[in-house]
Amino acid sequence: MSATPTPGTPTPAAPSPAAGRPRHVLAVLVLIPAVVALALWAFAWPAARTAPRDLPIAVAGAPAAVVGLERQLERKEGAFEVHRYDDEAAARAAIEDRDVYGAIVATERGPRLLTASAASPVVAQMLKQTATAQAPKGAPVQVEDVVAAPPGDPRGAVLGTSVLPMALAGVAAGAVVTLLGLRGVRAACALVGAAALVGVVAAALTHSWLGALTGDWWTEAGVLALSTLAVSAAVAGLAAVLGRAGIALGALTVVLIGNPFSGIASAPELLPEPAGAIGQWLPPGAGGTLLRSVSFFDGAAASRPAWTLAVWAGAGLVLILVGGAVRVRRAG
């Protein structure tokens, strides 16, 4: 026989659903430090190990003089990937085609350095130091910036810092579409429309206002839109097949790996291996490289990063459509 509560006696509160779940506390204690460790590793490790690794540069001039330059560069084992050209015109063309970052030309008046600060101001400065150190004592080094960074962004700061905001915009778009319950074609259309608007806004800020980009305005807007879509579609696509855990997985991949491994602030070849290579296969690195190509180099070397972004965007949209179709079938 159950006891009847005495009037005025407080009824014991029902236990909280979360009470007695030490696993949740343990998960927080383990997960948060793990994420912090991952972030510190991803951001601090490349920054602490910045150095040239198979950095493609050119030497040009008479064979006898070029041999000496090659030997001096090869003494720094693994630092440079040296390409030889017959004359200055060929070396200049290689820079403009983004085959090399710069060139040391042997002339009768001493070495002449060709750089491309638009490709990487950090590398351009590094090549100046290298050419000066290798020049005969007291011999001045003539420097010409073949493809100069724009006056509005001479140090490449705007382009370098734009990678993270664009990645965050993509993550936010993918997460919002998922949390609002958009599925299938509606989700895909929403992401494409949002990416297009982001591209226009970003081009207006970086090109029209800040003067950090100097290429065709609509082409730059298209690259910025594709970069955003590659991230947002990937995040929403993962969420469509994995649930909300897909948002976290996409965000961690793009923000904590893709952003610091992009090499946009310096150059992929200055990052420790294999960080630079990995970064170019992720949307932030591919997007930044493609934006440099269309803005400063008339689209040279744009095919690979363009295809990389297209694959990310296409795969994400396919996952969204497939996930939406599966949900409809289950509901029916």
Side-chain angles (χ1 to χ4, degrees), residues 71-191:
R71 289 176 179 175
Q72 289 179 325
L73 292 172
E74 289 172 355
R75 289 175 184 173
K76 298 183 178 183
E77 186 175 353
F80 299 107
E81 180 184 284
V82 182
H83 299 253
R84 181 188 291 192
Y85 295 94
D86 294 334
D87 52 34
E88 180 177 331
R92 187 184 297 269
I95 294 173
E96 294 172 344
D97 291 338
R98 302 204 70 183
D99 293 330
V100 295
Y101 281 91
I104 302 177
V105 182
T107 69
E108 296 180 355
R109 298 181 180 180
R112 176 178 173 82
L113 176 64
L114 306 179
T115 63
S117 59
S120 172
V122 175
V123 171
Q125 183 61 34
M126 182 182 298
L127 292 180
K128 290 179 184 178
Q129 297 173 351
T130 300
T132 301
Q134 293 182 350
K137 189 175 182 180
V141 177
Q142 300 176 355
V143 180
E144 179 184 351
D145 201 346
V146 176
V147 186
D153 189 26
R155 296 180 178 84
V158 174
L159 186 60
T161 55
S162 66
V163 173
L164 181 57
M166 297 303 296
L168 292 176
V171 171
V176 168
V177 164
T178 300
L179 297 177
L180 289 179
L182 297 179
R183 300 287 183 265
V185 176
R186 289 184 177 181
C189 291
L191 291 176

Side-chain angles (χ1 to χ4, degrees), residues 192-272:
V192 172
L197 292 175
V198 168
V200 170
V201 172
L205 291 173
T206 55
H207 183 121
S208 303
W209 180 42
L210 297 174
L213 303 178
T214 58
D216 179 74
W217 197 95
W218 285 107
T219 302
E220 293 166 354
V223 170
L224 292 165
L226 181 58
S227 299
T228 304
L229 181 62
V231 176
S232 62
V235 170
L238 289 172
V241 297
L242 300 177
R244 294 189 177 184
I247 298 176
L249 178 59
L252 288 174
T253 302
V254 172
V255 176
L256 293 188
I257 303 298
N259 182 57
F261 285 13
S262 67
I264 301 304
S266 55
E269 293 85 358
L270 298 186
L271 301 183

Side-chain angles (χ1 to χ4, degrees), residues 3-11:
T4 302
T6 304
T9 303
T11 303

